[in-house]
Amino acid sequence: MAACPCGRTTAKGLALSLDVCCGPCHAGQAATDAENLMRSRYSAFVLGDVPYLLATWHGSQRPAELTLEAGAKWLGLQIKQHRMTGSDSSEVEFVARFRVGGKAVRQHERSRFVREAGCWFYVDGDVL
């Protein structure tokens, strides 16, 4: 089984498989919290799953279309902080690393999420 691109591990440090980790969200299961949605969105970027990215983007901020960076090689995700900001809102601070055109990129962002009808959605974020 392939390791999940988000890099989540068990308590013993073993990589979780995509089927156990982010795969259920990609298959339509609601994320349990904003961090899980963030991880599943990162995995969707790695896998090129544009429909999932658009479906999990809040309608108030969702772009009409999304084009991923061609040739990007995703290198890892680090969750720095996850905190609830209200009963149905949350922030996740993360660092995603990738390489494109031979250039290393480090995306450090604090993202905002909301929960509506039991489903979490990415709203927007601030690059740090």
Side-chain angles (χ1 to χ4, degrees):
M1 289 186 170
C4 189
C6 83
R8 181 171 275 171
T9 60
T10 66
K12 293 184 178 183
L14 301 173
L16 289 177
S17 71
L18 177 62
D19 291 343
V20 170
C21 191
C22 293
C25 288
H26 295 170
Q29 180 178 313
T32 56
D33 59 27
E35 180 182 340
N36 284 324
L37 182 63
M38 175 64 238
R39 288 179 173 282
S40 69
R41 285 178 55 81
Y42 172 84
S43 293
F45 273 101
V46 173
L47 301 170
D49 189 347
V50 171
Y52 179 78
L53 292 167
L54 290 172
T56 56
W57 210 316
H58 192 266
S60 67
Q61 300 291 325
R62 182 185 310 124
E65 59 184 50
L66 178 64
T67 303
L68 301 181
E69 188 79 45
K73 178 174 174 41
W74 293 88
L75 304 172
L77 174 69
Q78 177 189 16
I79 301 295
K80 296 183 126 332
Q81 182 182 40
H82 170 221
R83 68 184 188 98
M84 294 296 294
T85 56
S87 60
D88 290 313
S89 60
S90 188
E91 288 182 346
V92 178
E93 181 182 348
F94 70 92
V95 175
R97 296 177 302 104
F98 62 100
R99 184 173 295 281
V100 62
K103 181 181 174 189
V105 178
R106 183 178 183 268
Q107 175 77 23
H108 186 179
E109 182 176 312
R110 181 174 294 116
S111 296
R112 285 175 285 281
F113 297 83
V114 295
R115 180 172 44 200
E116 293 181 350
C119 294
W120 284 98
F121 295 93
Y122 168 75
V123 177
D124 60 15
D126 297 319
V127 176
L128 304 174

